[in-house]
């Protein structure tokens, strides 16, 4: 993936990057492993003396204060790389140079589905089509007539939602997607294994067995082991519509494949100016540029989410489930592409070579190129290699 010019670094970082506390990970070619970093003032600072993993850093009593202090202390934060150079290497996929990785490491990658009514209706359509894209336009019209606009204002779990459920069942239109969209319990699933997500510039994968699929531009919350949200990043929860549409029991096959979880470019930590409330009105923009000249643009308006962030986090973490290394939580998407790409009535599906850009004002831009899962780099750096690398670095520091 070629960089587009020296302005890339400004396009990748948040609009107010000079005020943002940005952390992440890079692959350090010199030491042969991942380093926790902070990005500030045109430099990428190595934070390995502060924390060996992002999970460790976020478990500090006040991660934002710790990063600020480290950036002012040459003994804790070393400006080792130029931000523009790291971004360029990332976008070009240059494995010989230091490049950005997904900004999480030991966190479990969780995801919430059907958190927006608009995309919920598209999930209903997938189910009704049984994964057949050719029937999408017909079923979309049928479901649209039946549901109308009345369902959009329903509060999930409310008495009004229960009444809507009763009516839909009587009309033969009830669906498992409507259950989690307007029912009392949100959908929460495990999106990807620990350390398997890819970052800025990496390929994102579509497996050979899928012929109807799309990107899902999402806000991703970053939480500690105690369930406290301390920052956020952008994500692409790549979706195989034909697979999931055949059966909800195929969710794992539809969601968890090689390079199917993209996160980045960096985590923005909460501080006095940037908070969870800032994100409630975030606009996440999507742009897909095809090798065939095709262009698709979309928007995920977080303000239209059906359930508050706190409810999604509580459904993920609590007495019923703990995450000792924290978790990253995809919060769902409003965007569901219906624009035809090739055959009229069959909507959008990816092609190899598509360039996908997910961007927001406060979080920057995540850019990836679509490729076949079977041909993208295999996931090979797992927990054993991470632990071996960290142990070697500790031994070297003691020597």
């Amino acid at each position: 993936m070629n960089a587009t010019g020296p302005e890339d670094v400004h396009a990748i970082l948040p609009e107010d990057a000079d005020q943002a506390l940005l952390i992440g990970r890079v692959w350090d070619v010199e030491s042969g492993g991942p380093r926790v970093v902070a990005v500030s003032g045109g430099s990428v600072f190595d934070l390995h003396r502060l924390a060996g993993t992002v999970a460790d850093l976020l478990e500090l009593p006040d991660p934002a204060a710790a990063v600020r202090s480290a950036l002012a202390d040459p003994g804790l934060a070393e400006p080792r790389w130029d931000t523009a150079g790291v971004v360029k290497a990332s976008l070009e996929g240059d494995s010989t140079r230091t490049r950005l990785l997904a900004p999480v490491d030991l966190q479990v990658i969780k995801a919430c589905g059907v958190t927006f009514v608009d995309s919920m209706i598209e999930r209903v359509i997938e189910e009704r089509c049984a994964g057949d894209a050719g029937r999408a336009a017909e079923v979309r019209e049928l479901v649209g007539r039946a549901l109308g606009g009345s369902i959009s204002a329903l509060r999930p779990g409310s008495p009004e939602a229960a009444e809507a459920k009763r009516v839909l069942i009587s009309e033969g239109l009830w669906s498992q997607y409507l259950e989690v969209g307007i029912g009392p319990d949100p959908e929460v699933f495990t999106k990807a294994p620990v350390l398997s997500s890819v970052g800025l510039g990496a390929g994102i994968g579509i497996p050979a067995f899928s012929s109807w699929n799309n990107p899902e531009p999402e806000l991703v919350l970053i939480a500690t082991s105690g369930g406290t949200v301390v920052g956020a990043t952008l994500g692409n929860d790549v979706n195989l519509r034909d697979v999931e549409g055949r059966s909800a029991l195929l969710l794992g096959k539809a969601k968890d494949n090689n390079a199917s979880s993209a996160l980045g470019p960096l985590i923005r930590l909460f501080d006095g100016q940037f908070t969870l409330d800032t994100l409630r009105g975030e606009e996440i923009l999507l742009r897909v540029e095809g090798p065939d000249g095709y262009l698709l643009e979309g928007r995920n308006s977080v303000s239209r989410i059906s359930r508050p962030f706190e409810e999604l986090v509580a459904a993920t973490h609590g007495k019923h489930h703990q995450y000792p290394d924290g978790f990253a939580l995809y919060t769902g998407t409003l965007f569901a592409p219906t624009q035809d790409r090739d055959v009229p009535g069959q909507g959008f599906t990816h092609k190899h070579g598509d360039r996908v850009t997910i961007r927001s004002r406060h979080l920057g831009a995540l850019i990836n190129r679509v490729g076949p899962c079977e041909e993208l780099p295999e996931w090979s750096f797992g927990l054993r290699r991470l632990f071996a690398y960290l142990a070697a670095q500790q031994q070297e520091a003691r020597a």
Side-chain angles (χ1 to χ4, degrees):
M1 181 182 301
N2 293 326
T4 57
E7 71 280 3
D8 280 344
V9 66
H10 302 293
I12 293 300
L13 297 182
E15 291 181 10
D16 58 345
D18 57 336
Q19 303 173 37
L21 275 174
L22 302 171
I23 65 164
R25 295 192 307 144
V26 300
W27 182 268
D28 176 25
V29 294
E30 183 177 329
S31 65
R35 308 288 267 214
V36 181
V37 299
V39 175
S40 177
S43 295
V44 178
F45 290 77
D46 191 337
L47 298 181
H48 79 278
R49 295 187 184 93
L50 178 65
T53 66
V54 172
D56 287 328
L57 191 157
L58 298 183
E59 290 300 315
L60 296 173
D62 187 339
V67 172
R68 280 199 198 93
S69 296
L71 290 174
D73 184 349
L76 288 177
E78 178 186 359
R80 288 190 55 198
W81 305 281
D82 174 69
T83 305
V86 171
V87 167
K88 188 172 189 294
S90 303
L91 293 175
E92 293 179 351
D94 187 348
S95 61
T96 67
R97 296 155 59 198
T98 295
R99 63 198 184 282
L100 287 168
L101 303 172
V104 298
D105 40 43
L106 300 181
Q107 293 86 353
V108 176
I109 311 301
K110 305 292 289 188
C112 294
V114 203
T115 54
F116 292 82
V117 168
D118 302 62
S119 60
M120 176 191 71
I121 292 172
E122 283 301 307
R123 299 292 85 78
V124 175
I125 291 166
E126 288 168 14
E127 184 181 49
R128 290 279 161 174
C129 291
D132 180 1
R135 296 182 55 211
E138 170 194 348
V139 176
R140 187 173 294 113
E141 182 179 356
L142 172 66
V143 173
R145 284 201 307 267
L147 295 180
S150 61
I151 201 170
S152 61
L154 288 178
R155 174 72 174 91
S158 67
E160 293 79 10
E163 174 61 16
K165 175 179 178 178
R166 186 192 67 76
V167 171
L168 289 164
I169 290 175
S170 69
E171 294 181 358
L173 284 171
W174 184 245
S175 159
Q176 59 204 344
Y177 294 108
L178 290 168
E179 174 64 43
V180 295
I182 63 174
D185 300 309
E187 178 188 21
V188 183
F189 59 93
T190 299
K191 165 64 180 177
V194 169
L195 288 176
S196 68
S197 297
V198 299
L200 176 71
I204 48 174
I206 301 295
F209 54 75
S210 174
S211 59
W212 187 22
N213 42 72
N214 62 266
E216 292 194 344
E218 301 192 20
L219 171 70
V220 181
L221 302 178
I222 308 298
T224 67
S225 61
T228 300
V229 180
V230 292
T233 190
L234 296 171
N236 188 346
D237 179 14
V238 180
N239 183 39
L240 310 184
R241 302 190 70 176
D242 47 357
V243 175
E244 187 176 349
R246 283 160 47 204
S247 170
L249 297 181
L250 293 173
L251 180 65
K253 186 180 181 71
K255 288 295 189 179
D256 183 8
N257 296 286
N258 186 31
S260 63
S261 169
L263 297 169
L266 298 156
I267 293 171
R268 182 166 182 175
L269 296 176
F270 292 157
D271 55 22
Q273 296 180 329
F274 176 69
T275 68
L276 193 60
D277 285 338
T278 308
L279 295 172
R280 298 187 201 278
E282 195 78 346
E283 294 286 316
I284 300 175
L285 307 179
L286 171 75
R287 183 180 177 91
V288 178
E289 301 165 88
D292 53 354
Y294 177 86
L295 176 64
L296 173 71
E297 294 183 312
R299 180 184 300 266
N300 179 13
S301 299
V302 178
S303 63
R304 293 172 64 183
I305 198 167
S306 303
R307 303 177 192 265
F309 297 142
E310 291 84 355
E311 183 177 339
L312 301 179
V313 172
T316 306
H317 174 278
K319 289 292 186 182
H320 65 291
H321 206 319
Q322 298 78 47
Y323 299 89
D325 300 305
F327 58 96
L329 182 63
Y330 283 86
T331 57
T333 186
L334 170 69
F335 176 74
T338 59
Q339 174 181 318
D340 290 333
R341 182 165 194 172
D342 291 316
V343 180
Q346 291 200 8
F348 171 86
T349 196
H350 268 308
K351 291 187 178 182
H352 297 159
D354 281 351
R355 177 185 170 102
V356 181
T357 301
I358 297 171
R359 181 190 310 277
S360 84
R361 175 186 174 189
H362 294 101
L363 299 173
L366 174 63
I367 302 176
N368 301 96
R369 186 86 68 180
V370 174
C373 285
E374 298 81 1
E375 297 177 19
L376 292 177
E378 293 184 353
W379 173 37
S380 60
F381 194 92
L383 288 169
R384 287 185 301 151
R385 284 188 62 184
L386 175 61
F387 294 158
Y389 172 77
L390 293 173
Q393 292 301 301
Q394 290 176 350
Q395 184 175 3
E396 181 180 315
R398 289 192 296 266

